[in-house]
Amino acid sequence: KMVLRLCNEGLDVVMHRAQDYVFHAGCRAEDMYFLVTGTLSYTQDSDFLNCEVITEQVNSNHWLCEAALWVEWTHVGKAEAETDCQVLRVSAEGVVRALEGHRFVREIKALEGHRFVREITVDYCRQFHKRLQNAQPPVAEWPTDLRVPFTDFGDIVSSMEPSIRVRLGLQALDEWESVNNPLWTWRAGRRRGSTADQGSPTDKLRAEIMNGKSNVVLSADGQLERLTYVVALRIERPDGCFLAQLWKSEGNGKDVELKPCCRLPGGKQEKGESPTEAMRRLLKTKFSLFVNDLEVQSTQRSNNWEESKD
């Protein structure tokens, strides 16, 4: 019912001809957009971001103005159709009305489902807003109508409340199993939520999710992804020399062993941390003696995908 309510009150499809404007800089954003077909041209307004005018091409299957759903957002650029386009428009007010629909639900299971969706949405909004506030040089790029730094779905989920991360992770795992191993899913349906049985190849991952050790989401192509976020610090002198870790210790007590390594100092993001918060924590804890002499000049992000060994 919530999905039906959202479709009725929050979604509509708009057709644009070539050279039509989808939105203008300086106007209040009331909708998020998904480009179904066609090509758009997006141009940032230098008056808003104090930067050079940048024009980007936006192809189909791309979201624009997600910030409109979560904050009071003003467009900082303009989007113009280069070809005939079909655009799905998501109304921010329509999403709010759909979430308020739980007031009219009578069935207990449906009511619980509505409440959980609302909890996810509220926490997602909170995390998005925190990242938007931190999105400014030198710790991040300025936010635009096309992107807000560190607000990918996995980024947000990894910082949400533990109980929500667990439920989202289990739901992703159940969805993956239903597609890739439907027979096992049917047999295991009664035991979901328990870590006692170890018959399925995914039981170990399920236990890690429930214990809060793993953050798991479904990728756009329906594959399971276990997320790990690491912050590395490149501390460089004016002459170009930079700080690197050459050794690492393994073991405890008398069994400690030094092993060679060569990497930048850093560490994993802790639960609920944004990349900016993790960077500040590492600077204060690992480099407290000269943190006041360090100046953050830029940040860079890279994504690495590896097949799980488990």
Side-chain angles (χ1 to χ4, degrees):
K1 291 183 178 180
M2 175 179 286
V3 174
L4 181 61
R5 187 179 180 88
L6 176 62
C7 292
N8 289 336
E9 300 191 18
L11 305 180
D12 65 340
V13 177
V14 182
M15 305 300 298
H16 289 281
R17 302 296 299 271
Q19 298 183 338
D20 282 353
Y21 284 100
V22 180
F23 55 79
H24 293 271
C27 297
R28 179 184 175 186
E30 298 180 347
D31 306 291
M32 178 174 69
Y33 304 91
F34 180 75
L35 183 57
V36 182
T37 61
T39 304
L40 296 174
S41 174
Y42 175 77
T43 303
Q44 291 180 207
D45 193 312
S46 59
D47 292 338
F48 284 91
L49 299 180
N50 192 25
C51 62
E52 297 180 0
V53 175
I54 300 176
T55 299
E56 298 183 52
Q57 188 178 74
V58 183
N59 298 314
S60 58
N61 298 321
H62 193 99
W63 289 99
L64 299 88
C65 305
E66 182 188 357
L69 291 185
W70 313 117
V71 299
E72 294 286 341
W73 180 255
T74 299
H75 292 299
V76 295
K78 63 180 180 180
E80 180 181 0
E82 291 187 348
T83 64
D84 291 350
C85 298
Q86 185 181 29
V87 178
L88 175 67
R89 186 167 58 187
V90 183
S91 166
E93 291 186 1
V95 171
V96 173
R97 288 196 296 269
L99 292 173
E100 291 177 342
H102 75 278
R103 299 176 182 175
F104 309 101
V105 176
R106 295 292 181 265
E107 299 84 356
I108 295 179
K109 289 185 178 180
L111 179 59
E112 291 177 351
H114 277 66
R115 285 176 175 170
F116 180 56
V117 172
R118 185 181 179 87
E119 289 175 7
I120 293 175
T121 306
V122 170
D123 199 10
Y124 193 101
C125 177
R126 185 182 299 113
Q127 299 300 332
F128 188 98
H129 181 261
K130 181 169 65 175
R131 283 161 170 72
L132 181 63
Q133 288 183 309
N134 291 327
Q136 54 183 306
V139 296
E141 297 180 350
W142 289 111
T144 71
D145 296 294
L146 297 186
R147 64 186 66 89
V148 176
F150 307 118
T151 57
D152 290 345
F153 180 68
D155 296 334
I156 299 292
V157 170
S158 296
S159 297
M160 297 175 79
E161 292 293 330
S163 60
I164 294 179
R165 291 201 309 269
V166 169
R167 291 188 64 174
L168 289 177
L170 292 177
Q171 185 176 4
L173 184 57
D174 289 344
E175 180 67 22
W176 183 87
E177 282 189 328
S178 68
V179 174
N180 293 274
N181 196 355
L183 179 60
W184 174 260
T185 303
W186 176 76
R187 290 175 177 174
R190 290 183 298 177
R191 68 165 180 80
R192 280 183 184 154
S194 171
T195 58
D197 296 329
Q198 298 295 325
S200 167
T202 56
D203 273 343
K204 182 179 179 180
L205 179 58
R206 186 179 297 275
E208 290 180 356
I209 294 173
M210 296 184 66
N211 293 331
K213 295 182 179 180
S214 291
N215 294 321
V216 175
V217 298
L218 278 180
S219 64
D221 57 357
Q223 297 301 312
L224 282 178
E225 290 185 351
R226 180 161 44 187
L227 307 174
T228 302
Y229 291 89
V230 177
V231 174
L233 304 175
R234 182 182 176 91
I235 301 176
E236 186 174 320
R237 295 191 318 201
D239 61 3
C241 295
F242 61 91
L243 183 66
Q245 180 180 346
L246 301 180
W247 299 89
K248 64 179 180 179
S249 60
E250 294 185 356
N252 297 311
K254 297 181 180 180
D255 297 328
V256 173
E257 182 180 359
L258 293 178
K259 291 190 176 182
C261 70
C262 185
R263 62 188 181 190
L264 296 175
K268 291 183 179 180
Q269 285 182 215
E270 295 184 350
K271 297 177 181 178
E273 273 189 333
S274 67
T276 302
E277 292 169 336
M279 177 193 66
R280 291 170 179 166
R281 172 179 56 80
L282 290 170
L283 289 175
K284 290 180 179 180
T285 55
K286 292 189 175 184
F287 305 99
S288 58
L289 294 178
F290 53 94
V291 64
N292 294 329
D293 298 319
L294 298 177
E295 179 184 355
V296 179
Q297 295 186 336
S298 64
T299 59
Q300 182 178 351
R301 177 171 186 164
S302 62
N303 298 319
N304 298 315
W305 287 268
E306 297 179 2
E307 290 291 333
S308 175
K309 297 179 182 179
D310 299 332

